[in-house]
Coordinates of all heavy atoms in Angstrom, one line a residue:
E252 N 66.8 22.8 56.7 CA 67.8 22.0 57.5 C 69.2 22.6 57.3 O 69.5 22.9 56.2 CB 67.8 20.5 57.2 CG 68.7 19.5 57.9 CD 68.8 18.2 57.3 OE1 68.2 18.0 56.2 OE2 69.2 17.3 58.0
L253 N 70.0 22.5 58.4 CA 71.4 22.9 58.4 C 72.2 21.5 58.6 O 71.7 20.8 59.5 CB 71.9 23.9 59.4 CG 71.2 25.3 59.3 CD1 71.7 26.1 60.3 CD2 71.4 25.9 57.9
H254 N 73.4 21.3 58.0 CA 74.3 20.2 58.3 C 75.6 20.9 58.8 O 76.0 21.9 58.4 CB 74.6 19.4 57.2 CG 73.4 18.4 56.8 ND1 73.6 17.5 55.8 CD2 72.3 18.2 57.4 CE1 72.6 16.7 55.7 NE2 71.8 17.1 56.6
L255 N 76.1 20.2 59.8 CA 77.5 20.6 60.3 C 78.2 19.3 60.6 O 77.8 18.4 61.3 CB 77.5 21.4 61.6 CG 77.0 22.8 61.5 CD1 75.5 22.8 62.0 CD2 77.7 23.8 62.4
S256 N 79.5 19.1 60.0 CA 80.3 17.9 60.2 C 81.7 18.4 60.4 O 82.1 19.5 60.0 CB 80.2 17.0 59.1 OG 80.6 17.6 57.7
G257 N 82.5 17.6 61.1 CA 83.9 17.8 61.3 C 84.6 18.2 60.2 O 84.7 17.5 59.1
S258 N 85.4 19.4 60.3 CA 86.1 19.9 59.2 C 87.4 20.6 59.7 O 87.6 20.6 60.8 CB 85.4 21.0 58.3 OG 84.2 20.5 57.9
A259 N 88.2 20.9 58.8 CA 89.6 21.4 59.3 C 90.2 22.2 58.1 O 89.9 22.1 56.9 CB 90.6 20.3 59.6
F260 N 91.1 23.2 58.4 CA 92.0 23.9 57.6 C 93.3 23.4 57.6 O 93.9 23.1 58.8 CB 92.0 25.4 57.9 CG 90.7 26.0 57.7 CD1 90.1 26.6 58.8 CD2 90.0 26.1 56.5 CE1 88.8 27.4 58.8 CE2 88.7 26.7 56.3 CZ 88.2 27.4 57.4
S261 N 94.0 22.9 56.5 CA 95.4 22.4 56.6 C 96.1 22.9 55.4 O 95.6 22.7 54.3 CB 95.3 21.0 56.7 OG 96.7 20.4 56.6
R262 N 97.3 23.6 55.6 CA 98.1 24.0 54.5 C 97.3 24.9 53.5 O 97.4 24.6 52.2 CB 98.8 22.9 53.8 CG 99.8 22.1 54.8 CD 100.5 20.9 54.2 NE 101.4 20.2 55.1 CZ 102.0 19.1 54.8 NH1 102.0 18.7 53.5 NH2 102.8 18.6 55.7
D263 N 96.5 25.7 54.0 CA 95.7 26.6 53.1 C 94.6 25.8 52.3 O 94.3 26.3 51.2 CB 96.6 27.5 52.3 CG 95.7 28.7 51.9 OD1 95.0 29.2 52.7 OD2 95.8 29.3 50.6
R264 N 94.2 24.7 52.9 CA 93.1 23.9 52.3 C 92.0 23.6 53.2 O 92.3 23.7 54.4 CB 93.7 22.6 51.8 CG 94.9 22.7 50.8 CD 95.6 21.3 50.6 NE 94.6 20.3 50.0 CZ 94.8 18.9 50.2 NH1 95.9 18.5 50.8 NH2 94.0 18.2 49.6
F265 N 90.8 23.6 52.7 CA 89.7 23.2 53.5 C 89.4 21.9 53.3 O 89.3 21.3 52.2 CB 88.4 24.1 53.0 CG 87.2 23.6 53.8 CD1 86.9 24.2 55.1 CD2 86.4 22.7 53.4 CE1 85.8 23.9 55.8 CE2 85.3 22.2 54.1 CZ 85.0 22.7 55.4
L266 N 89.3 21.0 54.4 CA 89.0 19.6 54.3 C 87.8 19.3 55.0 O 87.6 19.6 56.1 CB 90.2 18.9 55.0 CG 91.7 19.2 54.4 CD1 92.7 18.6 55.3 CD2 91.7 18.9 53.0
D267 N 86.9 18.6 54.3 CA 85.7 18.1 54.9 C 85.8 16.7 55.3 O 85.5 15.7 54.6 CB 84.5 18.1 53.7 CG 83.2 17.9 54.1 OD1 82.9 17.9 55.4 OD2 82.3 17.5 53.2
L268 N 86.3 16.6 56.6 CA 86.8 15.3 57.1 C 85.8 14.5 57.7 O 86.0 13.2 57.9 CB 87.9 15.5 58.1 CG 89.2 16.3 57.5 CD1 90.1 16.6 58.7 CD2 89.9 15.4 56.5
H269 N 84.7 15.0 58.2 CA 83.6 14.3 58.9 C 84.3 13.4 60.1 O 84.0 12.3 60.3 CB 83.0 13.3 58.0 CG 81.9 13.9 57.1 ND1 80.6 13.8 57.2 CD2 82.1 14.9 56.1 CE1 79.9 14.5 56.3 NE2 80.9 15.2 55.6
H270 N 85.2 14.1 60.8 CA 85.9 13.5 62.0 C 85.4 14.1 63.3 O 85.9 13.8 64.3 CB 87.3 13.8 61.9 CG 87.8 15.3 62.1 ND1 87.0 16.3 61.9 CD2 89.0 15.8 62.3 CE1 87.6 17.4 62.0 NE2 88.8 17.2 62.3
G271 N 84.1 14.8 63.2 CA 83.6 15.1 64.5 C 83.8 16.4 65.2 O 83.2 16.9 66.0
V272 N 85.0 17.1 64.8 CA 85.5 18.2 65.4 C 85.1 19.5 64.4 O 85.6 19.7 63.2 CB 87.0 18.2 65.5 CG1 87.5 19.5 66.3 CG2 87.4 17.0 66.3
L273 N 84.2 20.3 65.0 CA 83.7 21.5 64.3 C 84.6 22.6 64.4 O 85.2 22.9 65.5 CB 82.4 21.9 64.8 CG 81.2 20.8 64.8 CD1 80.0 21.3 65.4 CD2 80.9 20.3 63.3
L274 N 84.7 23.4 63.3 CA 85.5 24.6 63.3 C 84.7 25.7 63.9 O 83.5 25.8 63.8 CB 85.8 25.1 61.8 CG 86.7 24.1 61.0 CD1 86.7 24.4 59.6 CD2 88.2 24.3 61.5
D275 N 85.6 26.7 64.5 CA 84.9 27.9 65.1 C 84.1 28.6 63.9 O 83.0 29.2 64.2 CB 85.9 28.8 65.6 CG 86.5 28.3 66.9 OD1 86.0 27.4 67.6 OD2 87.6 28.9 67.2
E276 N 84.6 28.6 62.7 CA 83.9 29.3 61.6 C 82.7 28.7 61.3 O 81.7 29.4 60.9 CB 84.9 29.3 60.3 CG 86.1 30.1 60.5 CD 87.3 29.5 61.2 OE1 87.1 28.4 61.8 OE2 88.4 30.1 61.1
Q277 N 82.4 27.3 61.4 CA 81.2 26.7 61.2 C 80.2 27.2 62.2 O 79.0 27.6 61.8 CB 81.3 25.2 61.2 CG 82.2 24.6 60.1 CD 82.3 23.1 60.2 OE1 83.3 22.8 61.1 NE2 81.6 22.3 59.7
L278 N 80.5 27.5 63.4 CA 79.6 27.9 64.4 C 79.2 29.4 64.2 O 78.0 29.6 64.3 CB 80.2 27.8 65.9 CG 80.5 26.3 66.2 CD1 81.2 26.3 67.6 CD2 79.4 25.4 66.3
V279 N 80.2 30.1 63.7 CA 79.7 31.5 63.4 C 78.7 31.6 62.3 O 77.7 32.3 62.4 CB 81.1 32.3 63.0 CG1 80.7 33.7 62.6 CG2 82.0 32.4 64.2
L280 N 79.0 30.8 61.2 CA 78.1 30.8 60.1 C 76.8 30.2 60.5 O 75.6 30.7 60.1 CB 78.8 30.1 58.9 CG 77.9 30.1 57.6 CD1 77.4 31.5 57.2 CD2 78.7 29.3 56.5
A281 N 76.8 29.1 61.2 CA 75.4 28.5 61.6 C 74.7 29.5 62.4 O 73.4 29.4 62.2 CB 75.8 27.2 62.5
E282 N 75.3 30.2 63.3 CA 74.4 31.1 64.1 C 73.8 32.2 63.3 O 72.7 32.6 63.6 CB 75.2 31.7 65.2 CG 75.7 30.6 66.3 CD 75.9 31.3 67.6 OE1 75.4 32.2 68.0 OE2 76.9 30.7 68.3
R283 N 74.4 32.6 62.3 CA 73.8 33.5 61.4 C 72.7 32.9 60.5 O 71.7 33.5 60.4 CB 75.0 34.1 60.4 CG 76.1 34.8 61.0 CD 77.0 35.6 60.0 NE 78.0 36.3 60.8 CZ 78.9 37.1 60.3 NH1 78.7 37.4 58.9 NH2 79.8 37.6 60.9
L284 N 72.9 31.7 60.1 CA 71.8 31.0 59.3 C 70.6 30.6 60.1 O 69.5 30.7 59.8 CB 72.4 29.8 58.7 CG 73.5 30.0 57.5 CD1 74.1 28.8 57.2 CD2 72.8 30.6 56.4
L285 N 70.8 30.4 61.5 CA 69.7 30.2 62.4 C 68.7 31.4 62.3 O 67.5 31.2 62.5 CB 70.2 29.9 63.8 CG 70.8 28.6 64.0 CD1 71.5 28.5 65.4 CD2 70.0 27.4 63.8
E286 N 69.3 32.5 62.2 CA 68.5 33.8 62.2 C 67.9 34.1 60.8 O 66.9 34.8 60.7 CB 69.3 35.0 62.7 CG 69.9 34.7 64.1 CD 68.7 34.7 65.1 OE1 67.7 35.5 65.0 OE2 68.9 33.9 66.1
L287 N 68.5 33.6 59.8 CA 68.1 34.1 58.5 C 67.2 33.1 57.7 O 66.8 33.4 56.6 CB 69.4 34.2 57.5 CG 70.4 35.3 58.0 CD1 71.7 35.3 57.2 CD2 69.7 36.7 57.7
C288 N 67.0 31.9 58.2 CA 66.2 30.8 57.6 C 64.8 30.8 58.2 O 64.7 29.9 59.2 CB 66.9 29.5 57.5 SG 68.5 29.7 56.6
P289 N 63.9 31.4 57.7 CA 62.5 31.5 58.4 C 61.8 30.0 58.5 O 61.0 29.8 59.4 CB 61.7 32.4 57.6 CG 62.3 32.4 56.3 CD 63.7 32.1 56.4
R290 N 62.1 29.1 57.6 CA 61.5 27.9 57.5 C 62.3 26.7 58.1 O 62.1 25.5 58.0 CB 61.0 27.4 56.1 CG 59.9 28.4 55.6 CD 59.4 27.8 54.2 NE 59.0 26.5 54.2 CZ 59.5 25.5 53.5 NH1 60.4 25.7 52.6 NH2 58.9 24.3 53.6
L291 N 63.4 27.1 58.7 CA 64.4 26.0 59.2 C 63.7 25.2 60.3 O 63.0 25.7 61.2 CB 65.5 26.7 59.8 CG 66.7 25.9 60.3 CD1 67.4 25.1 59.2 CD2 67.8 26.7 60.9
E292 N 63.9 23.8 60.2 CA 63.3 22.9 61.1 C 64.3 22.1 61.9 O 64.0 21.7 63.0 CB 62.4 22.0 60.2 CG 61.8 20.7 60.9 CD 61.1 19.8 59.9 OE1 60.8 20.2 58.7 OE2 60.8 18.7 60.3
A293 N 65.4 21.8 61.2 CA 66.4 20.9 61.9 C 67.8 21.3 61.7 O 68.1 21.9 60.6 CB 66.1 19.4 61.2
V294 N 68.6 21.0 62.6 CA 70.1 21.1 62.6 C 70.8 19.8 62.9 O 70.4 19.3 64.0 CB 70.6 22.3 63.6 CG1 72.0 22.4 63.5 CG2 69.8 23.5 63.4
T295 N 71.5 19.3 61.9 CA 72.1 18.0 62.0 C 73.6 18.0 62.2 O 74.3 18.6 61.4 CB 71.8 17.2 60.7 OG1 70.3 17.2 60.5 CG2 72.2 15.7 60.9
Y296 N 74.0 17.4 63.2 CA 75.4 17.1 63.6 C 75.8 15.9 62.9 O 75.4 14.8 63.4 CB 75.7 17.3 65.0 CG 77.1 16.9 65.5 CD1 78.1 17.5 65.0 CD2 77.3 15.9 66.5 CE1 79.5 17.3 65.3 CE2 78.6 15.6 66.9 CZ 79.7 16.2 66.3 OH 81.0 15.9 66.7
E297 N 76.6 16.0 61.9 CA 76.8 14.7 61.1 C 78.1 14.0 61.6 O 79.1 14.7 61.9 CB 77.0 15.1 59.6 CG 75.8 15.5 58.9 CD 76.1 15.5 57.4 OE1 76.8 16.3 56.9 OE2 75.3 14.7 56.7

Side-chain angles (χ1 to χ4, degrees):
E252 183 184 13
L253 300 181
H254 281 184
L255 295 95
S256 59
S258 303
F260 297 117
S261 177
R262 299 180 181 179
D263 203 37
R264 300 167 64 198
F265 177 88
L266 303 176
D267 188 15
L268 298 176
H269 285 246
H270 64 345
V272 183
L273 302 175
L274 292 165
D275 291 343
E276 289 83 354
Q277 289 174 277
L278 298 179
V279 171
L280 182 51
E282 292 203 33
R283 297 189 184 191
L284 291 169
L285 288 174
E286 299 297 324
L287 292 173
C288 300
R290 293 182 59 238
L291 188 65
E292 175 186 343
V294 180
T295 305
Y296 173 52
E297 288 192 295

